[in-house]
Amino acid sequence: MSNSIEKAAQRLEQLRQAGAQMPAASTSATASVATPSPVFIPEPAPAPEPETVPPSRPRAATPVGSKGVKLDFDRLTSAGFVTPNAPRSMVADQFRVIKRPLIDNATGKGASVVRNGNLIMVTSSMPGEGKSFTAVNLALSMAMEMDHTVMLVDADVARPSIMKVLGLPPGPGLLDLLVDDKLEMSQVLLRTNIENLTLLPSGSPHAQATELLASAAMTDLVEDMGKRYSDRIIIFDSPPLLLTTESRVLATHMGQIVMVVQAEKTLQSQVKHALSTIESCPVKLMVLNQARSSDQEAYGYGYGYGYGYGQGQREPAAEAEVSS
């Protein structure tokens, strides 16, 4: 076989030399290779320039939580005040009766809807009739209710006494809020060991304290308090009505006024004059302090209330061994 192959190879060589055209080898094939499409490779993005951060502005101070104070219940009880730990007494019973129509009006459960019913001012005709004693007892009694929170405000800025009565040191409060619009209410409010009671002291002494009480800032503050704390009963211990005119301005923002009258001391003409200055207030409650009972030994409170211009029903006085 190898001879046949050699002969065939020789014959092909002869033909090639003779100039014969040789056919392409059948075994050879051209592979078809697909030409790849050009691929676009993006240039890398330039690195971002460092961002210039403007210096941060100083943040407003976060309002500080209300400071807590502790009331000495034993001391208050011995001074004739209503406290959670005290046994049931005539004084406590009297204030239960006195506070009931006030709470009803403050919560919209009264005979008619009272605008700003949760704003209650405690005042008197003249100094020394027991208004601060009544304001504190009223606040303590209301705060012992299960469903009501109370704020007691010392608005008698010329002669503040609430903190002294409660055995607490003076501190910033109402006047500071009036002169410093950046001060937050929570920074001057005092929480007490009665869960539902907070205190707003009269604040730092100021040469124009009485003028501030009648200022536009006070008007704005009272309106803001009424709206912000609409679920809270706010009691203002105000100056006597016949001593200054500022209390009359404050009275125009109140929904209810408690007027304390000292028995056998306050003149009837003074009471009538004082009532005439608060005619615009829809609800006025009269409290007769140190009313002598029939046995001539005990003192207590008489009370009455009315709508509009002092019209109302006078209730019989209760008795208690208290003084103010």
Side-chain angles (χ1 to χ4, degrees), residues 186-202:
S186 61
Q187 294 176 267
V188 293
L189 272 182
L190 301 177
R191 292 177 290 102
T192 70
N193 48 330
I194 298 178
E195 184 178 1
N196 293 338
L197 177 65
T198 56
L199 306 173
L200 180 60
S202 61

Side-chain angles (χ1 to χ4, degrees), residues 234-258:
I234 306 177
I235 299 175
F236 294 82
D237 178 29
S238 84
L241 290 168
L242 301 185
L243 192 63
T244 65
T245 59
E246 289 75 19
S247 56
R248 305 177 194 179
V249 177
L250 182 61
T252 61
H253 306 291
M254 299 293 113
Q256 305 185 78
I257 294 180
V258 176

Side-chain angles (χ1 to χ4, degrees), residues 31-39:
S32 176
V33 180
T35 304
S37 302
V39 178

Side-chain angles (χ1 to χ4, degrees), residues 112-188:
S112 61
V113 177
V114 179
R115 181 176 178 271
N116 294 332
N118 66 317
L119 302 181
I120 303 173
M121 186 174 92
V122 181
T123 187
S124 60
S125 301
M126 301 297 292
E129 297 191 64
K131 66 174 183 60
S132 297
F133 182 86
T134 302
V136 171
N137 258 331
L138 193 59
L140 290 170
S141 182
M142 285 185 174
M144 287 187 281
E145 294 274 328
M146 297 296 294
D147 304 321
H148 305 292
T149 56
V150 180
M151 180 193 301
L152 176 59
V153 181
D154 192 346
D156 193 352
V157 293
R159 299 178 60 183
S161 60
I162 295 297
M163 301 302 284
K164 183 178 180 180
V165 166
L166 293 174
L168 300 173
L174 178 60
L175 290 175
D176 301 273
L177 290 172
L178 296 178
V179 298
D180 186 357
D181 57 2
K182 294 183 176 61
L183 192 64
E184 294 288 341
M185 177 75 72
S186 61
Q187 294 176 267
V188 293

Side-chain angles (χ1 to χ4, degrees), residues 118 147-149 226-233:
N118 66 317
D147 304 321
H148 305 292
T149 56
K227 294 176 182 177
R228 183 185 303 185
Y229 304 106
S230 59
D231 60 338
R232 185 177 303 188
I233 298 174

